[in-house]
Amino acid sequence: AIHRNGTEFPIEVSLSPYKVGEIWNSVGVIRDISERNNTSDALRKSEEKFRKIFENIQDVYLQTDQNGIISEISPSIKRCLQYEREELIGTPVENLYFNREQRTVLLQELNEKGELLDFELKARNKAGEAVWVSVNNHRMENSNKEFTGIETIVRNIHERKIAETNLRNLSIAVEQSPVSIVISDPAGNIEYVNPKAVETTGYTLEELKGKNPRVLKSGETSSDEYRNLWETISSGKQWSGTFHNRKKNGMLYWESSSISPIIDSSGNITNYVAIKEDITEKKKANDELVANEAMLKKANTTKDKLFSIIAHDLRGPIGSFEPILELLTSDENLDERERTLLLKGLLKGSRTVFGLLENLLSWAKSQSNGMELYPEDHIINEIVKENVDLLTPIADQKSIGIAMVDNGPVSVFIDRDSINLVVRNLLYNAIKFSNEYGKITITLRDKETYAEVEVADNGIGIEKKIADNLFNSNSFYTTLGTGNEKGSGLGLVLCKDFVEKNGGTIRVESIQGTGSKFIFTVPKYTLAR
């Protein structure tokens, strides 16, 4: 070295690394050896200082001779492998190897290179447990280049290796996860997505990195929901819910999400992690299950209603035929007037039964999707006129007048049989709930794209709460007519079904005690025409 005054003098330098907390440092000893022989006190102090460093270094200093016997080892072996220094001096170093074959590998490489740095292996502690260590080895030789032993610095890396293993396992789990994992910064910008998220969304990591997850928005989730999400996670809580998102190719998909904040030791949010699962197929299956349950419930309701109609509405009228027929065939004392009255009663009952059966069969076929419609061009005026002619005799029995109001033929595109049944049911109901000497008006209106048919009477009318549910298939409403005519409540439900299947609409306007108007529409042509 060069002294400040410019003179040269010999020095001896010793350096050793040591760790303070998480920070690595090196401690060095620079010794002026020019007066070594003259200052034994300085030598003693220097040895004392070296011994202090030797005894306090964090890593383990270990020295073995050419036979692998430990000749020196620092006290830090106690922290590293729980041995006392004295227990190991003079023992074979191979006893410290958890896998002795690793010593063979180490020696081979050391002989080839002369030194071996950061070689990781498992050491055996005093309890016989494996401890991961990193070793730096240096081959020692004498002045004749003969092998004299090995100097080794041993560093305990067990906790680091465990952390690395856990991190590697976590990384593999994330990469191979069957659900999407998205990590964003505190502002919500994406930092990482796993392969499943790439597969689900169609976007690459590069395309998503730095973007906000709103890139996947379909526009179906309200701002309030997003605001609630953000308020929840930014307050340190977990949020769970579903989104209807859009993939890169524009396809929509349902996604179940759980978003949690990642909080550091100081309580600050450093990231957000979202666990997402594509539940499109699950939701589809669930919707189908709900739909099937609804269909089953509807089928059971239909079945119960059919049985109810058969048991009551059909059984009653048919059951009354027997005593009338028996009287007609067995009582020879009946005069002509009495016989005529009985026959008229039979005719009236048979008409009721026939109409009920026709409605019942049509409704059952409609509910089971077994009824096919064959729409064609028809003149709606002719269908209305036919039904007026058919039901006028029944109206005459109550002295009810029926009038048609139209401005000429109106061509419509409909299934004739189903609309014929609609007109007949509405006209029959108007007769049924009209008083004697009442009046029924059927008005036809020619609109731009549809025809409107209005059947109005000045009969007893309907309460509003009943009118609101007249077309509800789950609540058949029936009551006796003004002439004690019976019904099943099936006709109006059937009317709604058939009108809608023909592409039209139906509604009711009624005031109790004043009368009712039933108005339905049917198309004049299809969109294809």
Side-chain angles (χ1 to χ4, degrees):
I2 300 176
H3 196 273
R4 183 177 181 183
N5 61 16
T7 61
E8 295 183 1
F9 64 98
I11 62 171
E12 185 179 79
V13 179
S14 296
L15 294 174
S16 177
Y18 70 100
K19 194 174 185 181
V20 178
E22 295 296 322
I23 301 175
W24 284 104
N25 299 270
S26 62
V27 61
V29 176
I30 300 176
R31 181 181 299 151
D32 180 352
I33 62 173
S34 60
E35 298 179 2
R36 177 183 290 174
N37 296 330
N38 300 324
T39 54
S40 59
D41 186 56
L43 179 60
R44 180 184 58 79
K45 289 181 179 179
S46 179
E47 288 177 347
E48 200 172 286
K49 188 178 293 185
F50 177 76
R51 174 57 57 184
K52 188 173 291 185
I53 293 169
F54 178 74
E55 290 176 352
N56 289 281
I57 58 174
Q58 295 294 314
D59 292 339
V60 177
Y61 173 81
L62 185 147
Q63 192 178 93
T64 58
D65 62 19
Q66 64 269 36
N67 297 315
I69 302 301
I70 298 173
S71 57
E72 183 60 89
I73 191 165
S74 63
S76 53
I77 189 68
K78 175 75 172 179
R79 288 190 298 271
C80 185
L81 297 178
Q82 286 87 53
Y83 286 100
E84 298 294 340
R85 175 176 177 273
E86 293 73 19
E87 292 180 275
L88 296 177
I89 299 292
T91 64
V93 72
E94 65 180 15
N95 291 341
L96 295 180
Y97 284 81
F98 193 80
N99 182 354
R100 296 187 179 185
E101 294 177 359
Q102 285 187 308
R103 174 163 167 76
T104 303
V105 175
L106 184 149
L107 287 173
Q108 288 175 348
E109 293 194 28
L110 185 60
N111 287 330
E112 291 175 6
K113 302 175 182 177
E115 65 178 5
L116 191 61
L117 304 178
D118 297 323
F119 186 87
E120 295 182 357
L121 55 84
K122 286 183 179 179
R124 185 188 303 273
N125 67 12
K126 188 173 181 179
E129 301 165 333
V131 177
W132 277 102
V133 297
S134 172
V135 296
N136 291 307
N137 298 282
H138 177 72
R139 177 186 169 91
M140 295 189 301
E141 298 175 346
N142 60 20
S143 58
N144 296 323
K145 300 296 182 180
E146 295 173 338
F147 175 65
T148 60
I150 300 173
E151 272 186 324
T152 304
I153 298 295
V154 182
R155 178 175 299 167
N156 188 321
I157 61 169
H158 192 73
E159 289 187 5
R160 191 196 80 192
K161 289 292 286 187
I162 296 299
E164 287 176 355
T165 301
N166 291 339
L167 185 60
R168 184 169 56 252
N169 291 338
L170 178 61
S171 177
I172 292 171
V174 169
E175 290 290 309
Q176 299 180 2
S177 172
V179 297
S180 299
I181 298 176
V182 179
I183 299 175
S184 68
D185 64 19
N189 299 314
I190 294 173
E191 293 184 344
Y192 168 82
V193 296
N194 71 339
K196 186 63 179 180
V198 171
E199 176 190 331
T200 300
T201 65
Y203 290 96
T204 64
L205 172 59
E206 290 70 27
E207 289 174 318
L208 290 174
K209 200 168 183 179
K211 301 283 180 59
N212 192 282
R214 70 172 65 93
V215 71
L216 303 173
K217 286 174 62 174
S218 66
E220 296 187 16
T221 303
S222 69
S223 299
D224 289 341
E225 289 181 82
Y226 283 115
R227 190 179 302 109
N228 172 258
L229 182 161
W230 188 252
E231 288 175 354
T232 300
I233 62 175
S234 60
S235 66
K237 299 176 183 177
Q238 178 179 316
W239 180 92
S240 297
T242 57
F243 295 112
H244 204 194
N245 281 343
R246 190 182 303 277
K247 299 185 180 185
K248 183 179 178 180
N249 63 9
M251 184 181 297
L252 295 175
Y253 68 102
W254 285 99
E255 182 178 75
S256 172
S257 292
S258 178
I259 306 174
S260 303
I262 299 175
I263 302 173
D264 64 15
S265 57
S266 300
N268 300 315
I269 295 175
T270 61
N271 295 91
Y272 295 106
V273 59
I275 309 298
K276 300 164 173 281
E277 182 181 6
D278 185 343
I279 59 169
T280 305
E281 292 303 318
K282 289 182 180 179
K283 193 173 189 308
K284 182 180 177 182
N286 185 66
D287 290 346
E288 288 178 354
L289 180 61
V290 171
N292 289 336
E293 288 178 352
M295 287 177 62
L296 181 60
K297 184 177 180 180
K298 183 178 179 181
N300 285 332
T301 302
T302 301
K303 178 197 69 176
D304 293 342
K305 184 60 183 176
L306 285 172
F307 287 157
S308 174
I309 293 171
I310 292 170
H312 299 95
D313 300 313
L314 278 178
R315 185 178 180 185
I318 293 175
S320 67
F321 289 174
E322 184 179 357
I324 296 175
L325 289 170
E326 186 175 352
L327 189 61
L328 285 170
T329 55
S330 63
D331 192 343
E332 298 177 356
N333 297 321
L334 288 174
D335 57 31
E336 193 62 30
R337 187 183 66 82
E338 291 173 327
R339 189 177 297 277
T340 300
L341 287 174
L342 289 173
L343 287 172
K344 285 183 177 180
L346 278 175
L347 178 61
K348 182 179 179 181
S350 66
R351 284 174 174 165
T352 300
V353 171
F354 179 78
L356 183 58
L357 271 175
E358 190 176 31
N359 279 348
L360 189 62
L361 292 173
S362 297
W363 184 65
K365 190 178 289 186
S366 171
Q367 294 300 297
S368 63
N369 296 319
M371 185 172 188
E372 295 185 10
L373 302 185
Y374 301 97
E376 294 178 337
D377 289 317
H378 293 283
I379 302 300
I380 190 68
N381 312 60
E382 295 175 358
I383 296 174
V384 173
K385 183 66 167 59
E386 289 175 10
N387 282 283
V388 169
D389 292 343
L390 178 67
L391 297 179
T392 292
I394 298 177
D396 288 343
Q397 293 176 10
K398 297 172 73 172
S399 301
I400 296 171
I402 302 176
M404 276 185 64
V405 178
D406 63 53
N407 293 313
V410 182
S411 178
V412 291
F413 189 73
I414 57 169
D415 173 75
R416 181 183 178 88
D417 291 341
S418 59
I419 295 302
N420 188 61
L421 188 143
V422 171
V423 174
R424 185 160 65 251
N425 269 291
L426 294 180
L427 185 53
Y428 179 78
N429 277 352
I431 296 170
K432 177 180 175 181
F433 294 107
S434 290
N435 295 306
E436 283 190 315
Y437 304 104
K439 182 180 180 180
I440 297 172
T441 303
I442 304 176
T443 305
L444 305 180
R445 300 183 182 95
D446 187 2
K447 302 292 185 178
E448 183 177 353
T449 60
Y450 62 90
E452 185 176 84
V453 180
E454 177 186 287
V455 180
D457 64 66
N458 59 354
I460 60 176
I462 311 166
E463 289 183 53
K464 186 180 184 310
K465 64 178 181 180
I466 295 174
D468 291 342
N469 289 288
L470 276 180
F471 301 111
N472 188 346
S473 60
N474 294 323
S475 57
F476 295 95
Y477 174 75
T478 180
T479 185
L480 293 176
T482 55
N484 291 322
E485 299 96 332
K486 294 182 178 180
S488 63
L490 187 60
L492 290 177
V493 173
L494 194 60
C495 287
K496 180 177 184 292
D497 189 22
F498 282 173
V499 166
E500 291 180 349
K501 284 183 176 179
N502 275 277
T505 60
I506 188 169
R507 69 183 191 276
V508 60
E509 298 174 3
S510 184
I511 299 176
Q512 192 171 12
T514 301
S516 303
K517 291 180 182 179
F518 286 84
I519 305 106
F520 73 91
T521 65
V522 285
K524 294 170 70 173
Y525 45 79
T526 64
L527 291 176
R529 287 156 56 89

